[in-house]
């Protein structure tokens, strides 16, 4: 959660915060985000970011422990918001509304952001699983995971872990279910295929439900 800063440089929690530090962090994030959006992950190097931001390397390392943490913060900035769901209708209707919304959000994101799995499952995060996905001692990575969770996974959790869904679907592997529903959307983006419309999302949902014996 972002803490607001007043004109005297005092945050809303009562802590002193140097406005100059905020400005240098903002410049670094602006630079990293621009490089990521225009050139992909490989473009976000320490040298490139500090040069574009006109900030010293030492200053960068006062804000971020590593280039990976800076990259995580840039990813979080570029994630498109996911609209709120109405929560109306049966299980199929809710899944279709959510999947259609997710498809539009993923399609609007730069392809580098869609490839955020590189970061979320990257070499510094061995042993990743959905159970401890939000657990890490690296604040920027934790922030990115929290953003991904809140904007993307949480919506599926609210539907698939509702009493009605549990009763209808029975026992199943939740992570596999997420992959079956969201996987086609991400693969379509990464492979630069024609974006999936509502009809394709409807087919994905119906196939998912049919595989679990739920009639559409």
């Amino acid at each position: 959660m972002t803490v607001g800063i007043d004109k005297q440089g005092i945050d809303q929690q009562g802590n002193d915060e140097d406005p100059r530090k905020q400005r240098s962090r903002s410049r670094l994030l602006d630079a990293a985000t621009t490089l990521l959006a225009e050139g992909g992950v490989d473009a976000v190097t320490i040298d490139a970011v500090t040069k574009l931001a006109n900030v010293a390397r030492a200053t960068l390392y006062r804000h971020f422990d590593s280039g990976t943490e800076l990259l995580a913060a840039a990813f979080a900035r570029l994630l498109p918001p996911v609209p709120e769901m109405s929560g109306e209708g049966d299980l199929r209707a809710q899944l279709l509304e959510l999947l259609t919304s997710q498809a539009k959000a993923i399609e609007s994101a730069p392809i580098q952001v869609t490839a955020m799995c590189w970061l979320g499952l990257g070499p510094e995060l061995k042993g990743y699983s959905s159970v401890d996905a939000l657990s890490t001692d690296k604040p920027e990575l934790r922030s990115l995971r929290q953003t991904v969770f809140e904007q993307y996974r949480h919506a599926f959790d609210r539907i698939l872990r509702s009493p009605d869904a549990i009763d209808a679907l029975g026992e199943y592997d939740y992570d596999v279910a997420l992959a079956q529903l969201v996987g086609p959307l991400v693969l379509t983006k990464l492979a630069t295929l024609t974006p999936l419309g509502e009809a394709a999302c409807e087919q994905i949902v119906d196939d998912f439900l049919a595989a679990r014996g739920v009639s559409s």
Side-chain angles (χ1 to χ4, degrees):
M1 179 179 65
T2 301
V3 176
I5 306 296
D6 65 20
K7 292 181 179 179
Q8 284 72 42
I10 307 297
D11 65 38
Q12 294 172 358
Q13 295 180 348
N15 302 317
D16 292 333
E17 185 67 39
D18 186 348
R20 293 172 298 179
K21 185 176 181 180
Q22 290 295 312
R23 287 194 294 270
S24 62
R25 177 184 173 84
S26 180
R27 287 201 301 271
L28 288 166
L29 281 173
D30 287 344
T33 302
T34 297
L35 290 167
L36 177 60
E38 294 180 353
V41 170
D42 290 341
V44 188
T45 66
I46 297 299
D47 287 340
V49 171
T50 52
K51 180 179 180 180
L52 184 59
N54 194 26
V55 172
R57 289 174 67 96
T59 301
L60 183 149
Y61 286 116
R62 283 198 291 270
H63 292 286
F64 305 97
D65 288 342
S66 66
T68 300
E69 288 196 27
L70 174 60
L71 185 58
F75 267 116
R77 266 195 170 193
L78 287 178
L79 285 173
V82 176
E84 286 292 326
M85 299 295 99
S86 67
E88 300 177 352
D90 58 12
L91 176 60
R92 179 182 182 277
Q94 291 185 51
L95 283 175
L96 180 55
E97 180 186 3
L98 176 55
L99 208 64
T100 303
S101 171
Q102 295 274 8
K104 292 178 180 178
I106 291 174
E107 182 56 34
S108 69
I111 193 168
Q112 295 86 1
V113 178
T114 311
M116 62 192 172
C117 55
W118 171 87
L119 188 62
L121 305 175
E124 293 193 18
L125 303 174
K126 294 179 181 178
Y128 174 91
S129 74
S130 62
V131 176
D132 57 5
L134 303 180
S135 176
T136 175
D137 58 358
K138 298 177 182 299
E140 298 299 342
L141 298 179
R142 186 169 60 249
S143 175
L144 174 59
R145 283 174 167 172
Q146 185 67 34
T147 300
V148 171
F149 173 79
E150 290 176 350
Q151 293 193 19
Y152 295 89
R153 175 161 181 155
H154 183 53
F156 282 97
D157 286 355
R158 285 187 296 176
I159 296 175
L160 293 175
R161 287 181 169 162
S162 67
D164 289 345
I166 293 173
D167 181 61
L169 298 173
E171 294 186 5
Y172 65 97
D173 188 310
Y174 187 73
D175 286 354
V176 170
L178 284 180
Q180 290 173 326
L181 289 167
V182 183
L185 309 182
V186 177
L187 177 60
T188 297
K189 177 69 173 183
L190 292 177
T192 63
L193 302 175
T194 302
L196 298 179
E198 185 172 352
C201 290
E202 187 173 3
Q203 186 66 57
I204 293 170
V205 170
D206 286 343
D207 288 348
F208 170 79
L209 293 175
R212 287 158 180 79
V214 181
S215 59
S216 57

